[in-house]
Amino acid sequence: MQRVQKVIAASGICSRRHAEELIKSRRVSVNDKVVEELGFKVSDKDIVKVDGIPLKKEEKVYYLLNKPRGVITSSKDEKNRRTVVDLIDDDRRIYPVGRLDYDTIGVLLLTNDGEFANILMHPSDDVEKVYVAKVKGMILKDKLNSLRNGVLIDGVMTKKANVKVMRYDKKTNISMVRITIHEGRYHQVKRMFESVGCDVLKLKREKEFIFDLVGLKSGEYRKLTPKEVAIVYSLKKK
Ligand code: URA
């Protein structure tokens, strides 16, 4: 839900300030009822009209980015650092679906479709996230089992995870671990490893749901196909 003046401004016909003036002058309606208050909220399904003319709906767009290191996952940064949105050549108001840390690389979706974003961000068994973590030290069986069965983060257990050590290098004392989770809590993977006494040195998201990095170099992106978008929406019907 968004304030109606924000929706009017986003459609490109005027500034938010001017949209407020339009509301005060009773020139704005939602579903054919004149809007009486500035804070009025509307959803995607509501029909907003100005002077009886419906706003043009912004075309929905969907991108898959191979996020590079050193880019912030947000639409804006108060310190003016580069954001993932800056990497996409599109003037619409797109935003990332969930987040990856500044130093985490890999699969990141971006869109201007709130419903699409909600479907993927809602923890679900269908939406798995596969990470490869470069971890200091050797991960022994008891630690692996803890990671698999759940560890406490902020007093709440993590859900079951699939965890596999791909390699251990004795010389550098470094393990490469593939971990699959179905949640997206803040710094989840790093904090899971931390909770068993291991530091994550590097982290890459290889896959989220059906989306992987095939064909995308670091910093590259592509549009999703209509079929891919439909597959995400099919999760909603379950
Ligand atoms: N877990 C983390 O700790 N960091 C990320 O960026 C993603 C998952």
Side-chain angles (χ1 to χ4, degrees):
M1 300 287 278
Q2 284 191 319
R3 283 167 180 258
V4 67
Q5 58 266 44
K6 193 170 171 192
V7 173
I8 296 171
S11 79
I13 63 165
C14 63
S15 67
R16 199 180 302 190
R17 211 73 206 223
H18 187 195
E20 288 176 359
E21 296 304 320
L22 292 173
I23 295 168
K24 284 184 200 156
S25 326
R26 302 178 58 82
R27 290 169 63 188
V28 176
S29 68
V30 174
N31 305 329
D32 289 326
K33 269 180 88 177
V34 172
V35 175
E36 304 281 353
E37 37 151 346
L38 285 181
F40 195 82
K41 290 199 168 165
V42 293
S43 77
D44 253 10
K45 294 189 185 88
D46 290 316
I47 296 170
V48 180
K49 292 182 185 170
V50 175
D51 293 335
I53 300 167
L55 296 182
K56 270 207 202 119
K57 295 248 169 174
E58 194 176 63
E59 184 203 352
K60 301 286 188 237
V61 282
Y62 310 87
Y63 292 101
L64 168 56
L65 168 72
N66 183 354
K67 178 194 174 293
R69 211 177 305 282
V71 183
I72 188 155
T73 305
S74 144
S75 309
K76 263 196 198 123
D77 181 49
E78 69 277 4
K79 291 187 208 148
N80 254 342
R81 285 173 296 184
R82 211 155 55 118
T83 74
V84 287
V85 170
D86 295 335
L87 301 179
I88 311 277
D89 187 16
D90 191 314
D91 291 335
R92 279 165 284 220
R93 296 146 66 87
I94 55 171
Y95 44 84
V97 177
R99 69 183 302 283
L100 289 179
D101 296 335
Y102 191 64
D103 58 352
T104 301
I105 62 174
V107 170
L108 185 71
L109 294 160
L110 296 103
T111 185
N112 56 354
D113 181 348
E115 193 171 2
F116 176 91
N118 280 337
I119 294 169
L120 286 171
M121 278 158 67
H122 186 79
S124 142
D125 283 348
D126 295 313
V127 180
E128 61 171 32
K129 296 171 186 141
V130 184
Y131 294 88
V132 173
K134 182 176 176 181
V135 180
K136 186 91 198 141
M138 194 185 220
I139 324 244
L140 297 172
K141 222 172 184 166
D142 56 335
K143 291 186 178 180
L144 269 181
N145 283 336
S146 298
L147 289 169
R148 284 176 182 143
N149 295 324
V151 290
L152 267 184
I153 296 183
D154 294 337
V156 180
M157 276 295 218
T158 56
K159 299 218 176 87
K160 281 214 181 311
N162 203 310
V163 189
K164 193 168 187 300
V165 177
M166 298 152 65
R167 276 195 306 284
Y168 170 70
D169 185 345
K170 221 168 163 184
K171 250 197 344 234
T172 54
N173 190 30
I174 279 175
S175 306
M176 297 302 292
V177 186
R178 175 170 282 123
I179 174 163
T180 304
I181 58 175
H182 298 88
E183 308 165 276
R185 291 166 60 185
Y186 187 59
H187 294 323
Q188 175 151 352
V189 174
K190 290 177 187 165
R191 290 200 293 167
M192 284 175 77
F193 279 101
E194 219 170 79
S195 77
V196 295
C198 299
D199 260 354
V200 171
L201 305 175
K202 281 187 180 172
L203 187 62
K204 175 184 191 177
R205 180 150 71 195
E206 277 198 340
K207 198 168 179 207
E208 177 173 10
F209 187 41
I210 55 168
F211 304 104
D212 61 27
L213 296 168
V214 172
L216 292 176
K217 297 200 187 90
S218 175
E220 287 185 346
Y221 61 89
R222 67 169 175 87
K223 277 193 168 171
L224 301 193
T225 64
K227 187 164 176 204
E228 287 171 327
V229 175
I231 293 173
V232 171
Y233 267 95
S234 72
L235 290 175
K236 215 182 104 179
K237 293 185 204 109
K238 285 198 171 174

